[in-house]
Amino acid sequence: MRTRYRRKWTAPLAMLACGALLLSGCADFDNTAAGQKFTPVNPPSPEVPPQVGPGGDAGDSGPGQGRGNGPNQSPTPVPPPQGCKDFDKAVIATCLDTVAAVAAIPGDGSSPSALAGERKSGRIMLAAAGKDPADWATIPVDGSRDGGLTSLALSPGFAEDQLVFAYVTTPTDNRVVRLAKGQAPKPVLTGIPKGASGNRGALGTDAKGALLVATGDAGNPGLAADPASLAGKVLRIDTSGKPAPGNPTAGSAVFSTGVHSPGGMCRDQSGSRLWLTDRTGDKDVLYRLRAGQPLSTPAWSWTDKPGVAGCADFVDSTGYLSLTTSTAGNLQNLPVTPDGAVTGKPNVVMDGKVGKPPKTFGRLSAMSMINPQMAVTGTLNKDGGSPVSSDDRVVIITPSAGGGVGGKD
C-alpha cells in the first residue's frame, strides 16, 4: 500500500555569526556577505531519480512494479557506469572526490539538488539532477588523516543570502567558516583543537534557529569531558556566534559533552528529537541529544563498527531513523517511536545483498533531507573503498512506496 505524505517540510537550517565563547577559541564574523525502508527513488519526470522497492535497490519500483515486461517479471539490472556516466537515476553527480559533506537544497523533489563537499580538496560542488556538477566554491583545508571538509549547513536565509557554513580542518586547527558562491571563506569559530585523529565535525540545527556544532576529541578522549576545551562537545550558538539563549549553563556554548568522532547530526521537523552519530574506540553509537546531559548512554550501538555517518529523521512519516555507514557501505533504518524510543534492530538495505537485483553504492557519508520524502548522501569510495568509474557520487534516497521492513508489503 502506497504511503501518502501530507505534512509540508521546512528545511531545518541555521545561520552562524561570530562571537566569543567562554571556551578556548575565537570568533570573527563579517556582515558584508549577505514500517518502511529508505531506498533510491523513482521519478514523476525523467529528471528525478527512480524509486526502488522493498528490496532497497534500483531497478525495483515496488511490489509487482519492476522494470520487467509484467508485474511478475524480474526487474532489469542497471548497467554498470561507463566513465563518468552513471545509468542509475538515483545518482545526481559523478566523478567527484571523497564526498564527505552534503547540504540538501530544499525543494519539492521534482529536480533534487544539493551542495557536495570533497573532504580532501575542500571543493564544494552544486549537484543537481540532469545536470553536470558545477563548481560552487573551494575552501583551503588540511585533508590529511581524517580532517578536511567534513560538514556543510545552509544559512536559514539561503534562498536570499546564498550563505553556507562548513566545518573544516586547517594546518593549525579545526574551525567553522562561512562563505558564499565563489567567495573566500570567512572564519566564524576557530581554535577547535586539532590532532592526529578526531578532527571530524558535524553541523546541525535546532528548531529555534541555533547552530549545533559537534566537535571531535582531537584523538584525546579526555578533552571530551574537559569543560575548558572546545574538543569533544556539542556546542549551541545563536546567530551572533554567542552562546544561544536557553543553553544548559547561561553564558556557555556547551550543549552536551562526550563526543569523540562525530559522523552526523539530524532532527525531526519540530525539534523534539535531536540525534548524533559517533564512533568510539570499541563501538559506533547513536545518541539522543538532550540539553545538559553528557553522552553516556547511547540509543543504539554497533559493536561491529560499520562507520555510522549521516542520519535523517523520517520517524513521523515512516517510523524509521535512517543512517548511512562509511565502512560497511550500507543504509540502516532503525525503528523509532515518535517519543524517540528505539524498538528494534536496524533494517539493512543497499548492502549488495538485499534487493532484486542486489545493489550497493559503496561507502556512504553524510546525509541531508531535501523534503519529508527525499534525502541526499555522498559516497567515499575513493577513500579506502572500491571505486567504480563514476565515483565518487551524490545519491538520492527516499522511502520506498510499498515495502515494509524486511521486504514485507
Side-chain angles (χ1 to χ4, degrees), residues 67-291:
R67 293 184 188 175
N69 296 323
N72 298 317
Q73 299 296 317
S74 298
T76 303
V78 177
Q82 295 181 2
C84 291
K85 183 175 179 58
D86 199 299
F87 296 96
D88 195 314
K89 299 302 182 182
V91 175
I92 64 170
T94 64
C95 288
L96 302 181
D97 183 28
T98 314
V99 182
V102 292
I105 298 175
D108 62 6
S110 60
S111 185
S113 61
L115 294 176
E118 297 177 335
R119 181 182 69 82
K120 292 182 285 186
S121 72
R123 188 174 64 153
I124 301 173
M125 305 294 290
L126 176 62
K131 299 178 181 179
D132 291 335
D135 286 313
W136 197 85
T138 299
I139 305 173
V141 300
D142 177 2
S144 61
R145 300 182 175 90
D146 64 345
L149 170 55
T150 56
S151 191
L152 290 170
L154 304 186
S155 152
F158 178 77
E160 291 76 31
D161 60 31
Q162 299 291 292
L163 293 177
V164 174
F165 295 89
Y167 193 96
V168 300
T169 307
T170 76
T172 59
D173 66 357
N174 293 294
R175 60 178 59 184
V176 178
V177 300
R178 73 173 179 85
L179 68 160
K181 181 179 180 181
Q183 294 187 0
K186 300 182 183 299
V188 173
L189 172 65
T190 65
I192 302 169
K194 175 186 178 184
S197 62
N199 296 300
R200 278 192 300 263
L203 301 178
T205 63
D206 67 12
K208 297 182 179 180
L211 184 72
L212 301 173
V213 183
T215 67
D217 65 9
N220 181 357
L223 294 179
D226 182 356
S229 176
L230 286 171
K233 307 292 186 298
V234 176
L235 308 174
R236 182 174 179 267
I237 308 170
D238 68 14
T239 56
S240 70
K242 298 177 182 180
N247 276 0
T249 301
S252 171
V254 176
F255 184 80
S256 189
T257 60
V259 184
H260 295 286
S261 184
M265 282 192 287
C266 59
R267 70 172 178 89
D268 69 318
Q269 184 176 358
S270 70
S272 63
R273 298 183 299 267
L274 290 169
W275 307 95
L276 171 73
T277 66
D278 197 9
R279 306 175 196 180
T280 69
D282 61 346
K283 59 183 176 295
D284 290 353
V285 293
L286 170 71
Y287 290 115
R288 175 86 179 273
L289 291 177
R290 292 181 173 88

Side-chain angles (χ1 to χ4, degrees), residues 35-40 52-57 300-302 304-308 320-335 344-362 364 397 400 403-408:
Q36 291 184 324
K37 66 185 97 154
F38 292 76
T39 50
V52 300
D57 299 308
W300 191 262
S301 61
W302 293 260
D304 59 342
K305 302 180 67 173
V308 291
Y320 288 89
L321 184 77
S322 185
L323 305 101
T324 52
T325 66
S326 62
T327 301
N330 56 37
L331 188 71
Q332 303 205 11
N333 299 303
L334 191 65
K345 65 181 182 180
N347 176 42
V348 178
V349 295
M350 288 170 56
D351 61 352
K353 301 175 183 178
V354 176
K356 301 176 182 179
K359 184 62 178 282
T360 179
F361 290 102
L364 302 175
I397 60 174
S400 75
V405 178
K408 297 178 182 179

